[in-house]
């Protein structure tokens, strides 16, 4: 059974959690919230990590979602109060 994750904060740790989830067949990220990043810069930072290197797949922006490797869609929020996000509506279990 795959566990769907929502990540609040897309700094170094949030980006590493997303990379780890993408490598794990039992986890997937369905939503990310970071009120301090715009989605284009979030995509850039995910693709170009100064410590862990370049993400080997593709990272694109499609409206309000990050599209990873052409198939994984991650809804991106910029909400200061994460309680205002309908995490369950995005499909997030945790």
């Amino acid at each position: 059974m795959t566990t769907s994750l929502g990540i609040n904060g897309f700094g170094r740790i949030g980006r590493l959690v997303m990379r780890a989830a993408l490598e794990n067949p039992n986890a997937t990220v369905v939503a990310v919230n970071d009120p301090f990043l715009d989605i284009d810069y979030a995509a850039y930072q995910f693709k170009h990590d100064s410590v862990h290197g370049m993400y080997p797949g593709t990272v694109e922006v499609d409206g309000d979602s990050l599209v990873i490797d052409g198939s994984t869609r991650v809804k991106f929020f910029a909400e200061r109060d994460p309680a205002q996000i309908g995490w369950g509506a995005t499909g997030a279990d945790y």
Side-chain angles (χ1 to χ4, degrees):
M1 181 172 157
T2 302
T3 300
S4 298
L5 305 173
I7 299 173
N8 186 48
F10 207 51
R12 175 151 323 268
I13 294 170
R15 293 191 306 270
L16 290 178
V17 168
M18 184 137 124
R19 281 187 181 216
L22 290 168
E23 293 175 3
N24 185 335
N26 296 318
T28 188
V29 176
V30 295
V32 167
N33 179 51
D34 196 312
F36 305 108
L37 290 177
D38 116 324
I39 191 170
D40 292 310
Y41 191 55
Y44 175 84
Q45 284 193 311
F46 182 74
K47 178 76 176 173
H48 305 273
D49 190 283
S50 61
V51 173
H52 299 282
M54 200 81 142
Y55 179 74
T58 61
V59 181
E60 300 170 334
V61 174
D62 182 19
D64 63 355
S65 296
L66 297 172
V67 181
I68 311 297
D69 298 329
S71 60
T72 302
R73 293 187 68 81
V74 179
K75 174 89 165 115
F76 192 87
F77 295 94
E79 178 63 53
R80 280 194 171 284
D81 181 3
Q84 298 300 314
I85 297 170
W87 293 101
T90 67
D93 299 319
Y94 297 97

